[in-house]
């Protein structure tokens, strides 16, 4: 697979005719389970995993851990690399480790990451400072092992870290031009009822998750959702595949990477047929796995050119 080319300033490079459209009508590339590239194979299982998996993990640790690692890893590029490739929606699953006396938070997908949440988000702020016209959507969710007191401390930290870059939930104009003028660069979605207390936080963003292991089944699910009509505001169409545990145990040489790669061509053709915009059947955020090796970013960003006014498209054809 050829690596995804850099699209690090694609928002500011969009045609000016699109600068006044709300972000909810643009096609935005996203990464599913963004931080799984730095999973710690020796960390505990997350609290929500089943008792059966916990037992197997104790008895057959040398067998289960490599299996968990290769099926829980959905990305292989750092968050800075994903930003520079054009990813603008980040699926961030936050948790506190069991029996950890520190206040450090980590990301999770079955197990925990090496990197803490704070050091990761500091690097995001640094990247945004170098790219002042790029806007990111950070979707924080799951929050295993986090009580209300920890939530409030974390939210306080987030507000201090992002400061004036945070776009408030009630912002009436979400166009690129307006966000640039206000200096807003971060839309922070927080999956908790505590968002009501903090105007800087956005509620959870709808994520269409098929929970299927083949591209055909994922596409059928996404088409069904699309035909029902788009949700209000931001929403995500997830291209990510999910393998059941029976499939995993019966296919020991497979991994989430091989499964994703083998289904990619079918998913790619489907993405190319999609259209952003305000139509009830249009899409907004499209997220996937292994967004570095697979050219999801350029595919999704290119969809925005379907939004250019017909007159400019006809003019282009005339000069051709």
């Amino acid at each position: 697979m050829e690596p995804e080319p850099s699209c690090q300033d694609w928002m500011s490079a969009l045609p000016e005719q699109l600068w006044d459209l709300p972000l909810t009508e643009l096609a935005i590339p996203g990464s599913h389970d963004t931080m799984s590239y730095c999973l710690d194979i020796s960390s505990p299982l997350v609290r929500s995993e089943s008792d059966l998996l916990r037992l197997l993990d104790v008895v057959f640790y040398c067998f289960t851990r490599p299996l968990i690692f290769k099926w829980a890893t959905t990305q292989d590029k750092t968050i800075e690399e994903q930003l520079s490739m054009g990813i603008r929606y980040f699926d961030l699953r936050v948790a506190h480790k069991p029996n950890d006396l520190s206040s450090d938070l980590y990301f999770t997908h079955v197990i925990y990451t090496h990197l803490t949440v704070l050091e990761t988000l500091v690097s995001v702020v640094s990247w945004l400072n170098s790219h002042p016209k790029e806007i990111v959507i950070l979707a924080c969710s799951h929050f295993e092992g986090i009580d209300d007191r920890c939530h409030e401390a974390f939210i306080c930290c987030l507000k201090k870290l992002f400061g004036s870059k945070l776009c408030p939930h009630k912002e009436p104009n979400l166009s690129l031009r307006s966000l640039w003028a206000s200096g807003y660069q971060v839309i922070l979605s927080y999956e908790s009822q505590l968002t009501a207390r903090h105007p800087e936080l956005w509620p959870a963003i709808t994520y269409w998750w098929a929970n299927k292991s083949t591209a055909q089944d994922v596409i059928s699910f996404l088409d069904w959702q699309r035909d029902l009509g788009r949700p209000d505001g931001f929403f995500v169409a997830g291209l990510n595949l999910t393998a059941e545990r029976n499939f995993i145990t019966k296919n020991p040489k497979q991994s989430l990477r091989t499964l994703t790669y083998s289904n990619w061509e079918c998913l790619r053709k489907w993405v190319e047929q999609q259209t952003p915009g305000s139509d009830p059947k249009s899409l907004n955020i499209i997220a996937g796995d292994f967004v570095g090796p697979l050219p999801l970013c350029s595919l999704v960003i290119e969809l925005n050119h379907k939004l250019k006014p017909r007159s400019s498209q006809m003019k282009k054809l005339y000069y051709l």
Side-chain angles (χ1 to χ4, degrees), residues 1-208:
M1 294 281 180
E2 286 294 319
E4 175 76 304
S6 172
C7 298
Q8 58 182 351
D9 293 297
W10 69 264
M11 286 181 159
S12 59
L14 285 175
E16 189 173 353
Q17 307 102 299
L18 306 185
W19 292 358
D20 295 308
L21 292 179
L23 291 184
T24 52
E25 294 182 15
L26 293 180
I28 298 172
S31 64
H32 165 250
D33 265 308
T34 299
M35 297 301 298
S36 63
Y37 65 84
C38 62
L39 290 173
D40 178 3
I41 196 169
S42 63
S43 77
L45 293 174
V46 298
R47 299 164 196 252
S48 59
E49 289 301 326
S50 68
D51 290 339
L52 176 59
L53 182 57
R54 291 183 183 285
L55 177 61
L56 291 172
D57 193 47
V58 171
V59 179
F60 302 107
Y61 184 88
C62 292
F63 172 76
T64 59
R65 280 309 166 118
L67 207 58
I68 288 170
F69 190 77
K70 71 178 185 176
W71 284 98
T73 300
T74 68
Q75 306 296 341
D76 60 5
K77 299 297 181 185
T78 69
I79 197 166
E80 296 95 335
E81 290 172 323
Q82 292 180 41
L83 281 160
S84 292
M85 287 169 186
I87 293 294
R88 294 294 176 267
Y89 166 89
F90 298 90
D91 173 20
L92 304 174
R93 305 180 182 202
V94 178
H96 186 261
K97 286 182 181 179
N99 306 317
D100 185 353
L101 298 179
S102 78
S103 59
D104 289 340
L105 300 179
Y106 295 84
F107 301 102
T108 66
H109 191 211
V110 187
I111 51 181
Y112 298 84
T113 57
H114 287 286
L115 293 176
T116 67
V117 171
L118 183 58
E119 63 185 313
T120 299
L121 295 182
V122 165
S123 68
V124 171
V125 172
S126 177
W127 191 92
L128 290 172
N129 287 337
S130 300
H131 303 270
K133 287 193 168 184
E134 298 302 300
I135 292 99
V136 298
I137 303 164
L138 306 179
C140 296
S141 65
H142 288 61
F143 298 118
E144 293 198 45
I146 298 179
D147 58 21
D148 282 357
R149 189 166 65 92
C150 186
H151 269 299
E152 289 294 350
F154 181 43
I155 291 169
C156 181
C157 182
L158 290 172
K159 292 190 330 191
K160 184 177 179 180
L161 180 63
F162 292 115
S164 61
K165 294 183 187 298
L166 282 174
C167 175
H169 176 218
K170 299 297 184 182
E171 171 60 32
N173 191 337
L174 284 178
S175 70
L176 288 172
R177 198 188 302 271
S178 177
L179 293 171
W180 292 339
S182 301
Y184 296 144
Q185 285 187 274
V186 179
I187 290 164
L188 182 57
S189 164
Y190 201 90
E191 192 181 59
S192 167
Q193 293 181 344
L194 293 172
T195 54
R197 302 182 196 171
H198 302 276
E200 302 89 346
L201 302 182
W202 291 61
I205 293 172
T206 299
Y207 193 109
W208 292 348

Side-chain angles (χ1 to χ4, degrees), residues 291-302:
V291 296
L294 300 175
L296 177 69
C297 289
S298 53
L299 272 178
V300 175
I301 293 166
E302 183 61 28

Side-chain angles (χ1 to χ4, degrees), residues 264-281:
W264 169 248
E265 188 59 25
C266 186
L267 293 170
R268 181 189 65 79
K269 290 178 180 177
W270 182 84
V271 171
E272 288 177 336
Q273 295 167 1
Q274 304 313 303
T275 306
S278 58
D279 185 84
K281 293 187 179 182

Side-chain angles (χ1 to χ4, degrees), residues 205-268:
I205 293 172
T206 299
Y207 193 109
W208 292 348
W209 175 46
N211 194 20
K212 300 294 183 180
S213 61
T214 69
Q216 291 83 357
D217 286 342
V218 168
I219 288 169
S220 294
F221 172 80
L222 294 177
D223 284 342
W224 172 72
Q225 286 280 15
R226 188 191 57 190
D227 291 343
L228 292 176
R230 56 182 292 152
D232 292 333
F234 294 105
F235 67 102
V236 185
L239 301 182
N240 44 294
L241 302 164
T242 307
E244 294 182 353
R245 287 189 176 139
N246 283 343
F247 178 90
I248 293 172
T249 54
K250 290 177 181 177
N251 296 273
K253 293 184 179 180
Q254 285 260 38
S255 66
L256 188 59
R257 182 189 297 271
T258 61
L259 186 67
T260 302
Y261 282 24
S262 63
N263 282 271
W264 169 248
E265 188 59 25
C266 186
L267 293 170
R268 181 189 65 79

